[in-house]
Amino acid sequence: MNDRFYSCAKALVATVRAGSMSAAAAELNTTKSAISQKLALFEAELGLVLLDRSGRAVAPTAAGRRIFEVCAEPVDAALEAEAQLGFLRGGKIAGRVSVSGPNSLLGTIFVPLLAGLQSRYPDIELELHADDSKSDFAAEDIDLAFRTGPTDKGRFVSAALPSAQRAPYASPALAEQTPPFSRPADLARLPFVLRMQEPGKWAFQNHGGQQESIEPPISLRVNTMELAYAAVLAGQGAALLPSLLAQEDVQAGRLVRLIPDWSAAPVPMTLLCRPERLAAPPVAAVRRHILDACGNSGFLGTELQVEAV
């Protein structure tokens, strides 16, 4: 990728993600006129109209979307390479990095990584922001964000983490009231705790590939995973919980996994990064540490895939 092509591709990727040339210029620390000139040059060289400029917001054409998808990954790789060069030039990596995500996800995935991260980068100052609302972290000056479920395409650089496995759990006292539980339909005999973000219908699959869906009877609705978990431990109902979160209490006898031969559909997990922060050495260092650690750890040990979203 030559310098001129890269600068044009970088302008396109930033504009599509930001939704306007002005916002792209702010992210790239340049002017709107410079962004406009690079985009016009790119369109002339490719012989394609890449952006629809007819509305107040700039949107990619069908061709522009295809070119964006081709360019986003190498542009992001180049930004990360710039950060690596910053590591070499600076001698040490220092600065503040803010990370947000659901409280349960930060506690089970990120916090266990802190010892290794702080040992590797002692001059990085970390801020953790627990947030179950999936708010716009770019507007809140957050650098990195853990997210569960689908993410909006086009705005951020996303690394797909291994999916979170889920299963129904209950307290031993509650599970003993109406045994046995051998299939999802049997769960209808129990009251359930439902997070407001969850759908009211759950799909399960067993080891043999058989599928079954249920609509569990709801006794309590809550808005955070922490409340759902506390209610299950207190015997207020069963709930669909991440297996990673529940495994310690299962081993201690405080929780029981119901219908162990069946599992619910796993939840996708991603690590989002603001594109304009990817070239910042401390942000890139924390992001790379997370991806390397998650990719090598036993409980998340599958290959990571990185894509632009």
Side-chain angles (χ1 to χ4, degrees), residues 1 107 110 116-117 161 201 238 284 293:
M1 187 185 296
F110 187 70
L117 180 63
L161 304 174
K201 188 174 184 178

Side-chain angles (χ1 to χ4, degrees), residues 50-130:
L50 302 178
L51 297 172
D52 179 1
R53 301 170 174 82
S54 59
R56 296 183 63 182
V58 175
T61 62
R65 172 58 64 178
R66 291 196 298 272
I67 299 301
F68 167 82
E69 291 171 352
V70 169
C71 292
E73 186 173 348
V75 165
D76 293 338
L79 289 172
E80 193 164 12
E82 289 179 26
Q84 295 288 343
L85 293 175
F87 299 169
L88 298 176
R89 288 195 301 266
K92 71 175 182 179
I93 301 173
R96 181 187 66 88
V97 179
S98 55
V99 183
S100 77
N103 191 41
S104 57
L105 200 59
L106 290 181
T108 55
I109 294 179
F110 187 70
V111 170
L113 307 179
L114 288 180
L117 180 63
Q118 292 171 335
S119 174
R120 189 175 179 185
Y121 303 111
D123 296 307
I124 290 180
E125 177 188 345
L126 284 172
E127 288 185 1
L128 300 187
H129 300 257

Side-chain angles (χ1 to χ4, degrees), residues 16-17 65 68 150-156 158 307-309:
V16 171
R17 283 175 169 159
R65 172 58 64 178
F68 167 82
T151 56
D152 294 334
K153 297 291 181 181
R155 296 186 60 196
F156 306 108
S158 170
E307 60 177 349
V309 302

Side-chain angles (χ1 to χ4, degrees), residues 22-57:
S22 297
E27 289 183 3
L28 298 180
N29 195 29
T30 186
T31 64
K32 179 181 177 182
S33 175
I35 293 291
S36 180
Q37 290 174 10
K38 286 182 171 62
L39 293 174
L41 176 61
F42 208 19
E43 289 179 322
E45 289 192 347
L46 295 173
L48 297 169
V49 177
L50 302 178
L51 297 172
D52 179 1
R53 301 170 174 82
S54 59
R56 296 183 63 182

Side-chain angles (χ1 to χ4, degrees), residues 154-281:
R155 296 186 60 196
F156 306 108
V157 179
S158 170
L161 304 174
S163 299
Q165 302 299 316
R166 301 181 302 158
Y169 293 88
S171 67
L174 182 64
E176 290 170 1
Q177 289 181 12
T178 55
F181 300 99
S182 60
R183 54 182 298 179
D186 297 334
L187 299 177
R189 300 198 297 267
L190 287 175
F192 266 79
V193 179
L194 183 74
R195 289 191 306 122
M196 295 174 186
Q197 301 92 329
E198 291 181 272
K201 188 174 184 178
W202 296 339
F204 292 88
Q205 181 171 308
N206 65 11
H207 301 311
Q210 183 180 358
Q211 298 181 349
E212 189 172 318
S213 297
I214 64 165
E215 294 185 17
I218 307 303
S219 63
L220 178 64
R221 294 180 184 272
V222 298
N223 67 341
T224 69
M225 178 63 73
E226 291 70 34
L227 282 175
Y229 202 93
V232 174
L233 286 173
Q236 296 300 310
L240 202 58
L241 301 174
S243 298
L244 177 62
L245 186 64
Q247 62 184 3
E248 182 176 339
D249 284 310
V250 170
Q251 294 170 358
R254 292 184 291 267
L255 285 179
V256 174
R257 176 172 174 172
L258 308 174
I259 54 171
D261 293 333
W262 296 76
S263 295
V267 175
M269 295 198 302
T270 56
L271 178 66
L272 300 181
C273 179
R274 295 170 62 184
E276 70 274 19
R277 300 290 179 88
L278 188 58

